[in-house]
Amino acid sequence: MKIQQLCTIAALATLSTAALAEFPEKPVVLVVPFAAGGPSDKIARDLAEAMRKTLPQPVIVENAAGAGGTIGVAKVARANADGHTLLVHHIGMATAPALYRKLSYKMPEDFEYLGLINESPSTVITRPNMEARNFGELRQWIAANPGKVNLAHAGLGSASHLCGLMLQSALKADMTTIAYKGTAPAMTDLLGGQVDIMCDQATNAVPQIEAGKVKLYAVTSAQRSKQAAIASAPTLNEAGLPGFNVSIWHGLYAPKGTPAAVLGKLNGALRAALKDPDFVKKQEALGVSVVSDNRLEAAGHKKFVEDEMNRWSVVIKAAGQYAD
Ligand code: MLT
């Protein structure tokens, strides 16, 4: 190898070390592809606060809502791959490719996988004046009102949409679905009685359940939750829908091509945040468990998303749901 080539490599190595030493040299933005105030936004804001403790720059949240989260995801796919624009997103990362015929980003190749953050059960909740005393009576009421039950969700591919889709097909129910830009605005209408039912993440539902403002009928995960406000709720599996199992996970992503050294620094800040006692306490208070396994590594995170893509494409195709 010629001396000039060695000098170039040495110069680039120095440059990258210097660049890494500076990173981040400006605020790090966590893009949330749903409206402010919803579960994804809440998780991102708590994560930003925890990551700030190990990064020498502010970590801020930016909401880019719409189209079931795909608008915000596309925004990050197109962002500069310098580590200052990241994405906090959930199961929609794995479901959008099966739901949307024209996506403006490619999965899984348009992203770097910084690690999985958490897993949360969803809850089957209704407007506060619902008369059904348990899930069995709610099921009868839904069957007796074909086409009249309004189910709220956050757009095609959102967690609430997928969970609502699974619920409708498991019940063989005919419900009218109402889309919002997030389950925060959807929750406002549920509390007001404008819509009847929603399948929403515990992150969003628990505070309303604790306040007695919505009625809880079941949780969607395979096991009951340990969180006090929802611990008494049966799983849908127990309540007559055998095999029903929907858990909503969130992950952290960077645009493809972000330098490996920057990815390593961001993964380190994520790992520290997931061990931060304040962050863990906030997540557990909402019935959410923090990830601590190999899905915190890029390969484990990416393989998990690819497996979820395969799982959900079967469910979505069977339900015949598509968006152009
Ligand atoms: C939100 O943050 O609004 C939710 O994640 C929307 C959804 O996916 O249901």
Side-chain angles (χ1 to χ4, degrees):
M1 188 177 282
K2 293 193 183 97
I3 189 75
Q4 294 88 330
Q5 285 170 312
L6 281 171
C7 293
T8 308
I9 290 168
L12 284 173
T14 314
L15 182 65
S16 64
T17 311
L20 182 61
E22 289 303 308
F23 176 81
E25 67 263 14
K26 60 185 179 180
V28 174
V29 177
L30 302 186
V31 173
V32 169
F34 293 102
S40 300
D41 183 68
K42 167 98 184 95
I43 287 162
R45 289 181 193 280
D46 289 345
L47 183 68
E49 190 182 329
M51 287 180 75
R52 176 72 179 87
K53 294 178 184 175
T54 55
L55 288 174
Q57 284 283 345
V59 182
I60 56 181
V61 169
E62 180 188 304
N63 301 89
T70 54
I71 288 174
V73 176
K75 178 186 175 89
V76 176
R78 291 192 301 271
N80 285 341
D82 62 7
H84 292 96
T85 307
L86 307 179
L87 171 69
V88 172
H89 195 22
H90 59 34
I91 195 168
M93 205 67 177
T95 57
L99 274 165
Y100 288 83
R101 288 198 176 109
K102 287 184 223 116
L103 261 188
S104 54
Y105 58 89
K106 292 189 201 63
M107 276 299 292
E109 58 266 42
D110 278 358
F111 294 91
E112 302 292 356
Y113 293 75
L114 284 168
L116 212 64
I117 301 165
N118 64 14
E119 289 176 293
S120 156
S122 264
T123 60
V124 177
I125 51 177
T126 71
R127 52 181 162 77
N129 59 353
M130 181 63 70
E131 287 170 13
R133 290 168 300 178
N134 53 49
F135 183 77
E137 288 185 10
L138 179 66
R139 181 174 190 171
Q140 286 164 2
W141 178 79
I142 291 169
N145 290 279
K148 294 185 195 147
V149 178
N150 291 327
L151 177 135
H153 64 73
L156 217 57
S158 65
S160 44
H161 166 253
L162 291 158
C163 191
L165 188 67
M166 295 273 286
L167 184 63
Q168 287 181 93
S169 35
L171 292 174
K172 298 184 179 52
D174 165 20
M175 296 195 230
T176 300
T177 59
I178 318 270
Y180 295 80
K181 284 192 181 291
T183 49
M187 182 64 83
T188 302
D189 278 4
L190 189 71
L191 297 177
Q194 282 76 30
V195 287
D196 299 304
I197 188 169
M198 180 155 69
C199 194
D200 195 15
Q201 298 164 64
T203 323
N204 203 33
V206 160
Q208 305 300 343
I209 294 163
E210 286 171 336
K213 291 184 177 173
V214 295
K215 281 187 87 170
L216 169 68
Y217 287 91
V219 291
T220 64
S221 40
Q223 309 297 329
R224 289 194 180 203
S225 169
K226 295 187 176 66
Q227 202 282 343
I230 58 176
S232 61
T235 63
L236 282 174
N237 202 38
E238 290 173 273
L241 299 180
F244 200 105
N245 174 14
V246 174
S247 267
I248 307 302
W249 42 269
H250 280 79
L252 187 65
Y253 304 87
K256 185 72 179 172
T258 303
V262 169
L263 294 174
K265 202 162 186 181
L266 288 167
N267 178 261
L270 174 65
R271 287 171 182 275
L274 299 190
K275 290 196 184 99
D276 177 63
D278 290 344
F279 179 76
V280 173
K281 195 163 160 236
K282 283 175 187 167
Q283 293 288 289
E284 289 178 349
L286 295 168
V288 180
S289 50
V290 169
V291 167
S292 57
D293 56 29
N294 72 339
R295 293 172 299 174
L296 265 176
E297 291 149 24
H301 180 188
K302 185 175 181 183
K303 181 173 182 323
F304 175 74
V305 172
E306 288 169 334
D307 291 348
E308 285 284 280
M309 285 170 70
N310 295 331
R311 174 165 91 101
W312 280 101
S313 66
V314 172
V315 171
I316 288 162
K317 284 190 177 57
Q321 292 266 324
Y322 294 103
D324 287 323

